[in-house]
Amino acid sequence: MRPLRPLPTLLILGALAWAPVVSADPLPLPAADPPGAFARDRSFDMVRLELEAELDPLAHTVVGTATWTVRRLAPGGLRLDAVAFRNVSASVDGQPVEVVHGRDEFTVWVPAGADGGIGKTSTIVVRYAATPQLGLHWRGPSGNGGGAGSPDTYAEVYSQGELEDNRYWFPAYDHPDDRFSYEGRFTIAGSPKGWTVVTNSGPDLTSYLVMVAAGPYVTVAGPENAVPLRALVPPATPESWVRPVLDPLPDMLTHFATRTGVPYAWGRYDQTFVQRFIYSGMENTGSTIMHERLLSPPSVQATRSYVPSIVAHELAHQWYGDLLTARTAREMWLNEGFATFFAADWQVHELRGREGDAAAEALAAAQVDGWRRGSLDRGGLAGRWYLGGGGATHAGTGLGAANHNPYSKGAMVLAMLRAQLGEATFWAGIRDYTQKHAHSSVDTIDLQRAMEGRSGRDLGWFFQQWTELPGVPKVTTSWSWAAAPTGDGGTLTVDLKQTVPAGESAYALPVDISVDGGVSTKVWLRDEGATVNVPAAQAPGFVAIDPAGALLVDWDQQQSAAAWSAQLAGGAAYSQRLALRALAELPAAEPDALAATFADARAPEVLREGAAEALGTRRTCALLLPALRDPDERLRMAAASALGRCADRGLVPGMLARLSEEPNSDIRSAILRSAAAIDPAATMPVARKALTRRDALEPERAAAAAALGLGGGIGDVPGLLRTPADRDVRLAGLQGAVSIVSRQALGPERERLRATVARSAERLLTDLDLRGIQGAIHALRDVGDAQSAARLEALARATTLPDLRRSARDAITTIGARVDSVAPATPNEADARLDAMETRMKELEAEIERR
Ligand SMILES: [Zn+2]
């Protein structure tokens, strides 16, 4: 899957729902994984699931019959995961049997017979009903499946199984170490006209990869291809918005089949685009679900490189995740690291075809540098999804999912293997691994063995230090050159120092050292320090350490500004990235290599984008403002974002002047964010306009709402609370309104405003989207009152999600500490208060609706 973070549209939501875990020194010990991270012992192999169910998009219920064919492996009952099911009854081979209910599961007793029945196949039929709060996600407009003020435009329902949510809507062995064939048959209550039901019936699924989606979708066929390709999109979606998610698929499929040595394994490939998806995309076998925001108008497609990236990521999962499935969540990097790495690899291949080698290599270097920087957080293990307690948790489940290293560090592990083993060996190892383990579950050791087999090396040290150890090595390097006493030639001396914290051991690091972009030397840094002497006829212009990006290291590479400038001008693609970073931190150098790179029309675009960012970081911004008129949209985007770092109010009028002429809404949103970061007050008039501008897309409206939150006044609050029509943006609006309230001086005016915002937030507590509810709880913590506390208490008691209950109760406590009149209510008091409140709320809601 892909978390929402990469979608700029939804950054704010991501922040609300999953606050990042900040890892602090000293180094956290690897925490024990909580129960659920490992599969439990099992008595049965799940062979086949036939699922027949009626889904009710108004009542949000599922009534189903699950017929499991199972084969006995060991003595014991059949334990099935199921959360909050009702009316459960079961039969085994036609005979009714007892169902023993436990917490979030139940056990069916399967007669074993006198011989123990090992290897015997049985058919278990389970009838049940449920009103799932996870696993199935319901969407619907007000009065048609959605609560008052729902921002959805049509009713639909879709599933999201990963990690462990399918157990909310069908009884499952809900661990990824079992594979079965699946057939789903669904009916929709009320038989709504024009609905399509998508499910991924087929062989060889694991529980979390079973999917269903149902709604009034329009089907758009993909390009002619051996594997049929379809997109199911919201009604009235222009075809031009759909092409970017369909047209690259044949090339991606060919590329991945070549790289992996295994053709696409499933009979067809569907992508269903749904409202307010909780992730960017989810790779259900043969049938991905995507966020509808990936469908974009042509006016912004040039600046949304994340769209093909996410399409490629989910498609790559059809191999890594679906065909080879990480055996437990601890091995998650074998899914996510691979999908991230392969999506990037396709993007490089695609760019090579369009723009040639230099552009492709610059992109590949930027990707590796991005993964390296994204992995510097010392808290994470590539090999583990769970962080255990303490971190933010996956919405609703209580499971820690804040460790993003399976993506960045996982991809970096593959990049290191590729650079250290060489292209041919690496890809041969990947093909061996993929061919050998297709249609099964995998552990890291399977990949290690495949790579060892091809390279003839023992890679135990490599896999241990990169996939099991937390943290990243820190290495300082410096160099000097001395002429020989004879005056003939000289010696280059390179010093490497590894900082090894007390109680930890040093990493083993094969470090490449390249002189002036040419001759290369390898030195093994196995402990705290190493010194290498290289004969060099004259003083080098620059010395590039790890020029190919073969190491995940937190570098402190020391050389002069002139040397860094020379490295930027003449180094290999990855050394150029390191030079960009170094120069960004240095005071302006003459001649300014960053400015020269940014201005060089022949340089690869991705390098020029990096130069823009570095110029912004260094606050050398003279070139960035005129670049807002560059004909190249991606450069305009890079300049617009970089300007936000410049902290120069003098730039803001020029930035804002550009807004009215900029045709790309995403670039306008970057300009708006940057301008608001520098000078909120000056940005207010254009932010107000952007909030209601007709051709503004969600990112621009969200940027406007965030800007108004920074610099707006009382008069902006009604506009911010009216944003519900913009779906996801409404949380940005609510947050903006909360910020404005918090800035007002105490008094009756503030009190009136606070109550208005609180009433508006309370309406969101009935949202169909968990993030809407979490956003409302977050807002009510800051602006809620006695009435809000009662609403939160009702929510806490109604929900089956421990996480939601916890945050609601936390908010009540915070409100109580702020407002004297909120005492912890007894259940009866709260009920009485709620009844009275209900009537009043209806009036208030109607009032807000009228505004
Ligand atoms: Zn993924």
Side-chain angles (χ1 to χ4, degrees):
M1 82 186 117
R2 265 283 280 259
L4 283 171
R5 286 167 195 281
L7 265 186
T9 327
L10 301 161
L11 275 176
I12 289 171
L13 302 180
L16 278 178
W18 300 288
V21 169
V22 179
S23 84
D25 282 328
L27 183 70
L29 288 172
D33 289 322
F38 298 98
R40 60 170 170 261
D41 296 340
R42 57 200 177 118
S43 302
F44 291 89
D45 173 27
M46 314 305 280
V47 177
R48 179 171 172 78
L49 168 64
E50 281 171 41
L51 184 60
E52 214 161 326
E54 182 182 72
L55 309 175
D56 187 330
L58 297 181
H60 304 157
T61 55
V62 48
V63 178
T65 303
T67 304
W68 275 108
T69 307
V70 302
R71 197 170 53 83
R72 185 177 283 283
L73 299 171
L78 172 67
R79 201 170 126 187
L80 291 166
D81 298 293
V83 183
F85 280 22
R86 300 185 301 272
N87 310 333
V88 180
S89 68
S91 70
V92 174
D93 297 328
Q95 298 299 313
V97 290
E98 198 191 342
V99 173
V100 183
H101 289 272
R103 201 197 134 147
D104 297 348
E105 39 103 354
F106 59 82
T107 301
V108 175
W109 183 75
V110 181
D115 62 354
I118 304 296
K120 180 173 174 273
T121 296
S122 306
T123 303
I124 320 292
V125 179
V126 178
R127 289 173 215 285
Y128 66 98
T131 309
Q133 293 194 5
L134 272 178
L136 284 185
H137 298 264
W138 311 90
R139 297 290 181 259
S142 302
N144 186 17
S150 171
D152 299 321
T153 44
Y154 52 88
E156 71 177 331
V157 56
Y158 53 83
S159 66
Q160 167 56 38
E162 193 171 17
L163 294 169
E164 298 180 328
D165 291 354
N166 272 345
R167 62 182 65 179
Y168 283 79
W169 65 280
F170 68 85
Y173 171 78
D174 204 4
H175 285 286
D177 65 336
D178 188 280
R179 311 175 78 82
F180 53 87
S181 73
Y182 158 74
E183 188 182 334
R185 289 183 295 275
F186 295 89
T187 52
I188 308 301
S191 308
K193 268 210 189 70
W195 272 41
T196 304
V197 179
V198 188
T199 189
N200 55 349
S201 299
D204 199 38
L205 272 73
T206 61
S207 171
Y208 80 93
L209 293 168
V210 171
M211 68 76 73
V212 64
Y217 307 122
V218 172
T219 304
V220 183
E224 192 63 34
N225 192 64
V227 176
L229 307 169
R230 294 196 302 175
L232 293 105
V233 302
T237 307
E239 174 138 357
S240 60
W241 295 32
V242 189
R243 294 328 318 175
V245 302
L246 281 174
D247 290 348
L249 287 174
D251 187 52
M252 290 176 185
L253 284 162
T254 307
H255 184 69
F256 292 154
T258 308
R259 286 299 207 196
T260 62
V262 176
Y264 180 81
W266 321 108
R268 64 197 166 100
Y269 188 58
D270 286 342
Q271 298 173 99
T272 305
F273 293 81
V274 303
Q275 300 167 104
R276 300 197 287 164
F277 191 36
I278 61 173
Y279 298 115
S280 302
M282 175 64 211
E283 68 275 15
N284 311 293
T285 308
S287 195
T288 287
I289 293 181
M290 297 278 202
H291 200 295
E292 62 167 353
R293 289 290 159 228
L294 295 179
L295 303 168
S296 320
S299 62
V300 295
Q301 285 169 4
T303 44
R304 291 197 174 181
S305 57
Y306 60 82
V307 171
S309 166
I310 290 168
V311 169
H313 179 104
E314 305 309 335
L315 187 67
H317 270 309
Q318 299 300 322
W319 281 261
Y320 304 106
D322 299 0
L323 190 61
L324 291 78
T325 308
R327 190 184 307 278
T328 67
R330 295 183 82 243
E331 304 281 355
M332 186 64 89
W333 83 276
L334 295 173
N335 297 353
E336 296 303 346
F338 271 72
T340 304
F341 179 84
F342 272 78
D345 183 59
W346 173 78
Q347 286 194 293
V348 169
H349 149 86
E350 191 273 340
L351 188 63
R352 194 183 304 279
R354 258 186 315 123
E355 294 185 13
D357 287 347
E361 270 146 39
L363 177 60
Q367 290 163 344
V368 175
D369 188 41
W371 297 330
R372 187 186 64 87
R373 290 202 296 150
S375 309
L376 295 180
D377 163 11
R378 286 164 63 76
L381 311 179
R384 295 193 187 188
W385 176 258
Y386 296 105
L387 274 185
T393 54
H394 174 50
T397 66
L399 294 173
N403 175 10
H404 285 263
N405 279 317
Y407 296 80
S408 60
K409 193 170 175 181
M412 188 70 204
V413 167
L414 292 173
M416 287 191 282
L417 273 175
R418 179 179 181 169
Q420 292 179 28
L421 300 182
E423 284 286 307
T425 306
F426 172 77
W427 289 113
I430 288 289
R431 287 193 296 275
D432 288 352
Y433 165 71
T434 311
Q435 287 165 347
K436 181 168 179 192
H437 299 283
H439 301 286
S440 68
S441 41
V442 281
D443 296 288
T444 300
I445 190 70
D446 298 322
L447 177 67
Q448 181 184 326
R449 291 289 180 247
M451 289 296 168
E452 287 177 339
R454 279 289 169 175
S455 65
R457 299 192 203 174
D458 183 331
L459 294 170
W461 63 273
F462 177 95
F463 281 93
Q464 199 233 352
Q465 75 182 14
W466 296 122
T467 71
E468 285 298 323
L469 289 185
V472 173
K474 196 170 169 50
V475 178
T476 305
T477 69
S478 59
W479 59 268
S480 57
W481 180 84
T486 58
D488 185 16
T491 304
L492 168 69
T493 302
V494 182
D495 274 312
L496 303 110
K497 280 198 176 56
Q498 182 173 183
T499 310
V500 183
E504 293 182 33
S505 27
Y507 281 71
L509 303 168
V511 185
D512 279 326
I513 298 165
S514 155
V515 181
D516 287 335
V519 57
S520 187
T521 306
K522 191 188 293 294
V523 55
W524 275 91
L525 182 60
R526 293 181 200 274
D527 41 38
E528 301 204 2
T531 299
V532 59
N533 292 311
V534 186
Q538 57 198 39
F542 67 96
V543 174
I545 314 289
D546 188 27
L551 293 171
L552 169 51
V553 167
D554 188 357
W555 295 110
D556 178 7
Q557 301 183 2
Q558 297 173 357
Q559 63 181 352
S560 68
W564 280 120
S565 297
Q567 181 165 326
L568 179 58
Y574 186 75
S575 344
Q576 289 181 309
R577 299 304 306 186
L578 295 180
L580 285 180
R581 306 251 160 271
L583 288 167
E585 305 299 326
L586 292 175
E590 279 305 330
D592 193 330
L594 283 179
T597 302
F598 179 63
D600 182 1
R602 291 159 310 154
E605 190 166 50
V606 67
L607 189 66
R608 298 180 69 194
E609 290 170 331
E613 189 191 335
L615 284 167
T617 304
R618 213 179 57 192
R619 300 190 177 175
T620 308
C621 299
L623 277 178
L624 295 175
L625 192 57
L628 291 182
R629 295 176 187 280
D630 196 286
D632 185 316
E633 286 177 74
R634 286 182 41 188
L635 276 186
R636 294 210 298 279
M637 184 76 157
S641 305
L643 278 163
R645 300 162 181 249
C646 290
D648 177 355
R649 285 178 187 226
L651 295 168
V652 171
M655 294 163 69
L656 298 181
R658 178 65 203 159
L659 270 181
S660 54
E661 300 152 39
E662 175 54 62
N664 181 321
S665 173
D666 287 358
I667 300 177
R668 291 202 300 268
S669 108
I671 296 175
L672 199 51
R673 280 186 193 279
S674 287
I678 301 172
D679 190 347
T683 314
M684 287 311 102
V686 293
R688 284 181 193 118
K689 251 187 239 158
L691 200 59
T692 53
R693 185 175 169 146
R694 280 179 57 175
D695 60 342
L697 301 173
E698 286 209 6
E700 187 175 0
R701 288 185 209 274
L708 288 169
L710 280 177
I714 291 178
D716 293 310
V717 169
L720 287 167
L721 295 182
R722 258 201 305 270
T723 50
D726 292 320
R727 300 194 186 179
D728 293 322
V729 177
R730 66 188 183 155
L731 288 186
L734 182 61
Q735 214 173 29
V738 169
S739 305
I740 290 174
V741 168
S742 322
R743 277 204 306 276
Q744 305 306 313
L746 291 178
E749 179 82 16
R750 180 189 199 269
E751 186 47 30
R752 197 188 55 77
L753 199 65
R754 186 205 53 72
T756 306
V757 178
R759 300 295 82 83
S760 188
E762 285 161 11
R763 293 197 318 159
L764 279 181
L765 291 176
T766 59
D767 198 350
L768 291 170
D769 184 355
L770 282 175
R771 285 159 307 174
I773 301 173
Q774 287 283 16
I777 295 174
H778 194 82
L780 288 171
R781 225 169 35 202
D782 294 337
V783 298
D785 49 27
Q787 171 175 316
S788 317
R791 300 277 292 204
L792 287 163
E793 178 56 33
L795 169 78
R797 274 192 273 145
T799 186
T800 59
L801 308 179
D803 239 28
L804 214 52
R805 190 176 309 123
R806 203 174 311 123
S807 36
R809 295 247 156 88
D810 284 352
I812 295 170
T813 309
T814 310
I815 294 169
R818 196 178 54 241
V819 187
D820 297 342
S821 55
V822 180
T826 66
N828 284 343
E829 281 169 355
D831 284 340
R833 208 184 282 168
L834 272 170
D835 288 342
M837 220 67 87
E838 212 62 55
T839 320
R840 178 66 187 132
M841 276 310 297
K842 292 227 170 72
E843 295 167 18
L844 284 164
E845 279 164 7
E847 197 179 300
I848 294 168
E849 205 80 67
R850 276 198 302 276
R851 261 188 237 143

